[in-house]
Amino acid sequence: DGALVALGCLSALGPSVYVSLLALGVEQLTVRLDACAECPIGAALHPHIVEAVEQAQAVMAARGEGDRLQILADTPTEQSARPVFYASNPPLSRRGFLQFFTPQRSSTAADILPPYAPQIDGDRSAPRERRRLVGALRLMDEAPANHHLPAGERYVDLSVDEKCTACGVCARICPNEALLFEQGEDEFWLGFVAANCTNCDLCTRYCDPQALKFNGTPTVSRLTDRPILLRHDTLYRCQKCSAPYSGDENGGLCPVCAFRRDNPFGSRPPTPMQDKLKK
């Protein structure tokens, strides 16, 4: 039993910090917010702190362990003496500090914390906060695999139906490489990495045949960095432009050539633009 005083404001912490501490062996974690009332900007930042803790609680609740993380808004009436450590100056090294909390699992800290370098232009990996959270959940391998993550926290599962034309737009437009597209001579594969998906909705908006669908939230077992196969199907070659495509053969034509055949003087803007024109 001990207290950790964070450097600066707790509003700078995301839910991954709280889940990581629980993953590293802290049995019970209480976040004290009684000092927020005396802070000159506490009223503005307090909601952000509560939101991060509640998101972490929702993740733990999906594992059936929501009671391991609590918020304490008022100063406790009964207080007992216990060691107090400051995050800015712990009495031992950072590695040793983590060992204090997890004497049996000190080597797992590196599995949670990715490099501190910020993302740069062109980096299509998942946000650092998401990678940390997934790393923490991965350590909790004793969780029931069929527990679904909470709705409304940007965790989503995807499915794809037979309308998929194998255009690959969804994978190219995804900012976090949550969708992976591969094609061979006469077949293609579409994979989904649930851990990378932040529910930005770009893939479903730009999917012209509307083949991608949100399918609730993923289970703990699906929130992994390994691709899950969404679709594996046959590829055809367009008789007019030789482009590969899947789905309805359209008389041997790809969707683009089939549209031009049926609408020789028409044009079709991308799906998001169609939605704007309808309004």
Side-chain angles (χ1 to χ4, degrees):
D1 186 19
L4 172 63
V5 180
L7 176 64
C9 180
L10 290 176
S11 63
L13 304 181
S16 67
V17 172
Y18 305 109
V19 178
S20 296
L21 286 171
L22 296 171
L24 288 170
V26 176
E27 294 184 3
Q28 183 73 38
L29 184 60
T30 302
V31 182
R32 287 185 55 174
L33 303 182
D34 48 302
C36 292
E38 302 175 3
C39 176
I41 57 174
L45 297 179
H46 184 271
H48 298 286
I49 303 173
V50 173
E51 181 183 8
V53 176
E54 289 180 345
Q55 288 179 4
Q57 286 176 322
V59 171
M60 296 304 298
R63 296 173 37 83
E65 301 177 278
D67 57 348
R68 291 181 61 192
L69 176 60
Q70 302 292 337
I71 294 179
L72 184 62
D74 301 318
T75 303
T77 54
E78 297 183 5
Q79 302 187 46
S80 58
R82 54 180 174 169
V84 177
F85 301 96
Y86 289 84
S88 59
N89 188 29
L92 62 173
S93 67
R94 182 171 178 272
R95 180 186 296 271
F97 177 69
L98 289 173
Q99 288 178 353
F100 172 80
F101 284 105
T102 59
Q104 304 300 322
R105 305 179 68 181
S106 60
S107 62
T108 61
D111 296 331
I112 291 180
L113 303 176
Y116 280 89
Q119 289 180 289
I120 59 176
D121 292 342
D123 183 2
R124 297 182 65 199
S125 60
R128 185 173 61 191
E129 170 68 22
R130 174 56 63 90
R131 285 181 284 144
R132 285 179 170 174
L133 184 58
V134 172
L137 288 173
R138 191 175 295 120
L139 293 180
M140 300 179 181
D141 51 6
E142 71 278 5
N146 60 347
H147 274 64
H148 283 262
L149 288 159
E153 304 294 346
R154 303 187 74 83
Y155 304 107
V156 295
D157 211 347
L158 283 176
S159 62
V160 60
D161 59 31
E162 67 280 355
K163 295 193 295 290
C164 176
T165 61
C167 67
V169 169
C170 57
R172 292 197 299 272
I173 203 171
C174 177
N176 302 321
E177 290 192 337
L179 286 164
L180 305 174
F181 178 78
E182 295 287 343
Q183 75 174 50
E185 282 294 321
D186 56 1
E187 56 187 339
F188 78 97
W189 300 263
L190 181 63
F192 175 58
V193 184
N196 290 354
C197 181
T198 58
N199 193 17
C200 69
D201 198 26
L202 285 175
C203 59
T204 57
R205 288 174 58 201
Y206 281 89
C207 179
D208 191 63
Q210 299 294 288
L212 281 169
K213 297 290 188 298
F214 290 126
N215 192 30
T217 60
T219 60
V220 174
S221 62
R222 282 177 71 90
L223 197 69
T224 171
D225 56 0
R226 295 182 298 274
I228 300 167
L229 183 63
L230 290 184
R231 190 162 186 83
H232 173 211
D233 210 341
T234 303
L235 280 176
Y236 305 99
R237 289 284 172 178
C238 178
Q239 295 178 4
K240 185 174 181 63
C241 69
S242 299
Y245 70 97
S246 182
D248 188 354
E249 294 190 56
N250 288 320
L253 299 178
C254 69
V256 174
C257 290
F259 178 83
R260 290 174 177 169
R261 177 198 61 193
D262 300 334
N263 304 272
F265 301 106
S267 62
R268 181 173 56 183
T271 303
M273 185 61 69
Q274 294 182 37
D275 296 338
K276 291 183 179 180
L277 292 175
K278 291 177 182 178
K279 294 178 181 179

